[in-house]
């Protein structure tokens, strides 16, 4: 397939983004990556092999990050050949293209099964918005945040979000969700035991509309890859049944929760996020109040500031009242709207953003401003839409009509 370097699109680019292409065939057949240990036990048992072989395969998939069956040298050659002959492959999602921003953020086009693509973002050093910790010491621990997609596209149709323009193609499997993380860890030679890795399920898609696969991916990431659920945050637009299921998960398998509030009232939220007409703010707050939080755990409310639409002083007053009345341990993460072609909103004025934040703090609501990351390569919040398509470049999935 012929690959071309993307032309810069209409966004101003501080520096020309670096683009890497990695060509390889799409995966076919049955994938081992994504199976948990009990499923792997069944696979090896079908070849008459004992359960400890499953542990060896899990180790190779999730900790050694092996990418081909013939690299699994702890397994007998005969078993590797039998697996291959039966149609098994590793099938870990593959980083097909890399866009590098001026701030070192990397946006990946990740190829999943059937050659379809999603986006994953890697941000060196957390901006503190997710973990809210002040642990930036002079040590040598490498900190980074990986932003993971849960669906190809999204059906929720928030008016300000570029991903919404894609509509929904399909849910990702647990292996396709967890595999984004493992591929990024492998690319940067990161180890959860020694490096500080935060995960945010804030890429393309609505995790709580793909609940089973999302939570199975969390389980793999906790139990097999070794990342604590306390280092993960899942963001939802407010899918009430998902929040209720999530609240019932065991603490060790439950990431922190962020709610995309984005408006100070039902009146404004109805317009920006049509999902609010189904599950309005009051119902969301009730569900959140029923949730049993861990010690020191806070709910994050994300609030996208749309210039002239949600960034006015009166909105800040209304938002502070709403959050305080909810009576929850909570904080607000403010995100200045990131532009996207054809999305009819304006980036808020910087002074207005600061005033908004100060107004919340003055009203007793902890508020943080999320730094935009990788805006120049369309990697920032709400900008994930396989930008190769936006700039007129053939996406790997562009099939003949
Ligand atoms: N679908 C989930 C998770 C992904 S979106 C959700 O909506 O919560 C992650 C965050 O980006 C959400 O809080 C969303 O409100 C925000 N967002 C969407 N479009 C944006 C844009 N253009 N600029 C800034 N933030 C945006
Ligand atoms: Fe979907 Fe989240 Fe974008 Fe809304 S903001 S359209 S839920 S990805």
């Amino acid at each position: 397939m012929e690959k071309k370097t993307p032309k810069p699109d209409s966004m101003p680019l501080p520096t020309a983004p670096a683009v890497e292409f990695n060509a390889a065939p799409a995966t076919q057949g049955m994938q081992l990556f994504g199976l948990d240990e009990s499923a792997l036990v069944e696979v090896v048992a079908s070849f008459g092999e004992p359960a400890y072989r499953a542990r060896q395969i899990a180790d190779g998939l999730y900790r050694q990050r092996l990418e081909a069956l013939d690299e699994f040298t702890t397994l007998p050659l005969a078993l590797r050949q039998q697996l291959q002959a039966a149609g098994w492959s590793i099938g870990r999602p593959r980083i097909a293209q890399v866009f590098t921003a001026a701030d070192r953020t990397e946006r990946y086009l990740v190829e999943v099964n059937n050659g379809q693509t999603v986006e994953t973002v890697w941000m060196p050093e957390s901006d503190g918005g997710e973990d809210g910790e002040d642990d930036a010491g002079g040590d040598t621990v490498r900190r980074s945040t990986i932003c993971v997609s849960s669906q190809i596209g999204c059906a929720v149709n928030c008016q300000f979000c570029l991903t919404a323009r894609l509509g929904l193609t399909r849910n990702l499997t647990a292996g396709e969700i967890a595999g984004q993380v493992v591929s990024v860890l492998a690319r940067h030679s990161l180890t959860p035991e020694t490096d500080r890795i935060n995960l945010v399920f804030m890429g393309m898609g609505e995790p709580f509309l793909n609940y089973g696969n999302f939570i199975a991916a969390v389980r793999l990431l906790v139990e097999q890859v070794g990342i604590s659920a306390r280092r993960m945050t899942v963001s939802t637009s407010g899918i009430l049944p998902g929040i209720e299921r999530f609240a019932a998960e065991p603490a060790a398998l439950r990431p922190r929760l962020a709610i995309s509030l984005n408006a100070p009232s039902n009146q404004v939220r109805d317009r920006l996020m049509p999902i609010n007409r189904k599950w309005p703010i009051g119902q969301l707050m009730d569900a959140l109040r029923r949730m049993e939080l861990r010690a020191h755990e806070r709910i994050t409310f994300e609030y996208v500031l749309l210039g002239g639409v949600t960034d006015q002083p009166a909105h800040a007053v209304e938002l502070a009242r709403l959050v305080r009345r909810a009576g929850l341990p909570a904080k607000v993460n403010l995100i200045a709207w990131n532009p996207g072609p054809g999305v009819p909103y304006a980036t808020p004025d910087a002074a207005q953003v600061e005033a908004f934040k100060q107004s919340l703090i003055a009203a007793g609501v902890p508020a943080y401003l999320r730094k935009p990351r990788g805006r120049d390569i369309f990697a920032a919040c709400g900008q994930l839409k396989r930008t190769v398509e936006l700039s007129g470049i053939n996406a790997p999935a562009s099939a003949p009509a």
Side-chain angles (χ1 to χ4, degrees), residues 67-80:
E67 287 184 274
L69 263 176
D70 55 16
E71 293 171 359
F72 283 68
T73 49
T74 51
L75 301 179
L77 181 61
L79 177 57
R80 283 182 264 159

Side-chain angles (χ1 to χ4, degrees), residues 160-161 202-203 205 235-237 260 262 302 304 335 337-338 381-382:
F160 45 81
C161 174
M202 298 188 185
S235 174
T236 178
S237 57
S260 294
N262 295 337
E302 293 160 287
V304 179
I335 316 169
W337 181 73
N338 295 306
C381 297

Side-chain angles (χ1 to χ4, degrees), residues 147-148 150-151 154 156 158-164 201-208 234-238 258-262 273 301-306 333 335-340 343 345 370 375 380-384:
C147 179
V148 184
S150 55
Q151 296 181 310
C154 186
V156 179
C158 303
Q159 298 299 295
F160 45 81
C161 174
L162 195 55
T163 305
F201 295 93
M202 298 188 185
M204 296 166 79
E206 168 49 64
F208 284 6
V234 61
S235 174
T236 178
S237 57
I259 304 286
S260 294
L261 189 59
N262 295 337
M273 301 177 70
F301 290 111
E302 293 160 287
Y303 189 96
V304 179
L305 291 154
L306 303 169
N333 269 358
I335 316 169
W337 181 73
N338 295 306
V343 191
Y345 291 99
R370 293 266 297 272
R375 253 192 200 175
C381 297
Q383 291 190 312
L384 302 186

